[in-house]
Amino acid sequence: MISDNSSSSKDTLHNDGYDRFSLRWGGAAGDGLWYIGILLQKYFNRLGYYVQGFPGTQSTIRGGHVWQHIEFSTQKFGSFDSQLDLLIAFNSVTLDVHLHHLKKHGCLIYNSDMKNNNDYKEDIASRKLTVIEIPLKILAKEIDPSTPVLANSLAVGVLIEFLDLDIGEFIAILKQKYSERKEILTKNLIALENGCKYFSENYSTKCKCCNSTVERKDQLIISGNHMIALGAVASGLKFLAQYPITPASSILSFLANRAEKYGVVVRQAEDELAALSMCIGASFAGARSMTASSGPGISLMSETLGYAAMTETPVVIVNSMRAGPSTGIPTKMEQADLMSAIYMSHGESPRVILAPRNVQECFDITTRAFNIAERYQVPVIILSDFALSERTESVTPFNLDVNIDRGIIWEGETKEYSKFKRYQLSDNGISPRAFPPTKNAEYILVGAEHDELSHSLSGNRCGLPLSGNIRKEMFKKRFRKLELIREQEMNPPEIYGPIQADHTILCWGSTQGAVMEVIDQLNSAKGASWNMLSFFDLFPLPYQKIQSYLDKIQNSLIIEVNYTGQLENLLHSHLNWRPDDRIHPLSGENPTPSYILTELEKFSEYF
Amino acid sequence: MGTESQRYDKKLFKANLKPNWCPGCGDYGLLSASTKALSKLKFQPSNVVFISGIGCSSSFPHWTNAYGIHMVHGRALPTATGVKMVNPELTVIAVGGDGDGYGIGIGHFIHSARRNLDITYMVMNNQIYGLTMGQSSPSSQLGLVTLTAPQGVDELPINPLALSLGAGASFVARGFSGDRKHLQVIIEKALNHNGFSFIDVLSPCITFNKLNTYEWFRKRVYKLDENHDQTDIEAAFAKSQEGNGRIPIGIFYKSERPSLHDLDPVTKNKIPVKEPLGFKAQGIDVQEVFDDFR
Ligand SMILES: Cc1ncc(C[n+]2csc(CCOP(=O)(O)OP(=O)(O)O)c2C)c(N)n1
Ligand code: SF4
Ligand SMILES: [Mg+2]
């Protein structure tokens, strides 16, 4: 017993029912929590709720604690929060780490046969928590002593009974999942049923959720990384090379699993230097290619990124940012690679940086990335982060058939291009590409400065006056493309909330959802007038388009998950503009709506 | 042999540009032998891709008439992997120096060998850093005085043949650029081999390596003959251990096993660059794609 007020009363919690419910599910690594977490999300999704999920690993807090946050609602929402309605604790570490996130009157379901290190009685009593104790391990053993993970299905049974929801949909999910493994299915079904039974025999408290309002049975539960993978295949990805790293690895494993089906050559490279080099080779030979990594691996790619820019070789590089520098906090998010993405590699070279803000946008931005890469023959970096890569959301099925623009490809003599010149100087800086085995287009891709025919200017031509001129022309050519991209491809930030507001919050990338919720909450409070400018096209920054947005701002605050204010500095360098205030969350946790609200309260002038 | 009298355009694979190597540089030998081998075997320039890293030797692709990638230092092999794995119909030849391949890029050498990537990899081994003007290389002989080892090299040199054998290369050979005819025969065999064909080419740097000169090699090299069993890996290892006194050249080892693109789930059936782009064009059912997420 961890509390004295273990619930047995016959009441229903929260009488009008929850229209948004957040729960967290925590235990030890290896207990299959992540997996069952995904099934649960699919379950709520099938019932017609909008769902978000987020996995957590806190390997620094005693051996491998993992958790899964699941939040569902009758309405779409921007971001999951850190405040919990329900905590399901498989072990006592879960209590240590998450109990304080439970709201007052919240509920705790806990595995009563776990060892307890601390005394939570006071905490539980003072916050009037409802406690449900289930001997999960013992119950699991009764079904099959050799399969302790059955505790998961048992807990799901308890949960569904407690929430008074339809068990049938979960049975259907299990049947679909284990259609070819009858024995496992049977055991899980028994566990599910036993969970329900145990709960109803021992407890009568119910926790009612409002009925789901929208028919959402077709919705998908999908993560940012998987969306990037789908976006890439939809865009015609033919080659992926990657070296494993959190939080980019799931792109590699997802596509490795579907390589044959989706027609993508998927190779696990020996390191990131190799991964990007392989992509350069594949792109040279005519394939759309991509690599993905995070900070440490991205740093290793720096030389080859410059090569891609110099040789005008299209390639898409996903940087799923994690907390740096160095090893940093590998399983936590940060938005601190914007500057390094802009300046990565020696010399001066063009590249494009796009930062998706939510799971759906991971798809859209990836398809844009491939077209921009090939249209302008530049490397494109997708700046995602841990909080987006591994976050799952309900997404409405969408069109997978996207526009594919491969740019200028030379396949033989035309009026405009009689002879193939790989780096033909042109008004907009773009020249034709040709792939082997196209005849009469044989050329040598070279990272040294080169002339229109891709002949190297180093070696015997270096230092000759003619070389100097070509060098200048080629430099201008590469940067003409960057200006064209700025003008034609890059979008200004998106406004959320009233066009004119007293207070504006600026943000970029994955924090969009949390800030949106903050804006809604502030605007629903009397008299407040807030809006948000969320940036997603970051480099080349379309500063002329941004100016008019900044002109309308009264008071402003920027939220960036970094120390130095990287977007702020970028805006300042282009537009000589700075926000009035700033929030830099640095704990490693992604900023949730309640975190941001608490931080905002410190700026008394706003309230 | 009939092939000797067969006529072919010996210059087909030669670029119009003149190499900027020092006159007498060993690298000329490989350039000549390989362009001739390609012509002789009736390859087409548009179907061949030469890929190199950085170094005197790595400027090689510029002196050929074919497609090419002059990559960054040390990364020729992964780049070649990308080319070959999206279009296995291309003939991919990686070339470079000992610094490029046995120094900065050595990791890729081992991995490409074990993958049995179907390319030919030829290292112009001059046992010195030529382009950067005379520093020690990972294959520099013990005691060689260099810019960076004024007291003489004190690190054991790499044994590229033993290394590649151990790493799983399916074709391992050594040639000498002072014997172009013999070298050409090795290259022809390498080009016809399915899998990772590695040739260590002794290519004297006449400017910076005053020890391992043509003369030095001529005194030591000898050709492996029919007494050497190319299919016997133990014999190959034994030959790879022969030291400075006698240096065997020829094919050390050759074995048949599927190459990477024979095994890869996509390339075993398809040429990726010839396939349509996107889900719909590839005939993939959208509902099936989405069902993974329901
Ligand atoms: C990353 C990087 N480090 C260092 C260099 C400088 N560098 C150019 S060539 C070379 C060594 C080349 O030696 P090798 O591959 O043996 O070629 P060689 O000139 O002897 O033919 C070095 C160190 C470089 N270009 N890039
Ligand atoms: S420096 Fe040496 S390796 Fe370089 S071109 Fe001259 S002889 Fe050849
Ligand atoms: Mg060398």
Side-chain angles (χ1 to χ4, degrees), chain A residues 91 259 289 431:
Chain A
N91 62 8
S289 63
S431 342

PDB file of all heavy atoms in Angstrom, chain A residues 91 259 289 431:
ATOM      1  N   ASN A  91       6.725   0.769 -12.108  1.00  0.00           N
ATOM      2  CA  ASN A  91       7.765   0.657 -11.093  1.00  0.00           C
ATOM      3  C   ASN A  91       7.846   1.947 -10.298  1.00  0.00           C
ATOM      4  O   ASN A  91       7.186   2.940 -10.619  1.00  0.00           O
ATOM      5  CB  ASN A  91       9.109   0.297 -11.733  1.00  0.00           C
ATOM      6  CG  ASN A  91       9.580   1.357 -12.706  1.00  0.00           C
ATOM      7  OD1 ASN A  91       8.993   2.433 -12.807  1.00  0.00           O
ATOM      8  ND2 ASN A  91      10.638   1.063 -13.435  1.00  0.00           N
ATOM      9  N   ALA A 259      12.155  -1.424 -47.742  1.00  0.00           N
ATOM     10  CA  ALA A 259      13.033  -1.081 -48.863  1.00  0.00           C
ATOM     11  C   ALA A 259      12.528  -1.667 -50.174  1.00  0.00           C
ATOM     12  O   ALA A 259      12.361  -0.964 -51.174  1.00  0.00           O
ATOM     13  CB  ALA A 259      14.450  -1.554 -48.564  1.00  0.00           C
ATOM     14  N   SER A 289      18.303  11.224 -53.313  1.00  0.00           N
ATOM     15  CA  SER A 289      18.937  10.558 -52.184  1.00  0.00           C
ATOM     16  C   SER A 289      18.839  11.399 -50.921  1.00  0.00           C
ATOM     17  O   SER A 289      18.705  12.622 -50.978  1.00  0.00           O
ATOM     18  CB  SER A 289      20.387  10.223 -52.496  1.00  0.00           C
ATOM     19  OG  SER A 289      21.116  11.409 -52.710  1.00  0.00           O
ATOM     20  N   SER A 431      22.217  25.413 -64.022  1.00  0.00           N
ATOM     21  CA  SER A 431      22.736  24.779 -65.241  1.00  0.00           C
ATOM     22  C   SER A 431      22.149  23.368 -65.351  1.00  0.00           C
ATOM     23  O   SER A 431      21.614  22.846 -64.381  1.00  0.00           O
ATOM     24  CB  SER A 431      24.255  24.668 -65.189  1.00  0.00           C
ATOM     25  OG  SER A 431      24.809  25.517 -64.228  1.00  0.00           O
TER      26      SER A 431
END
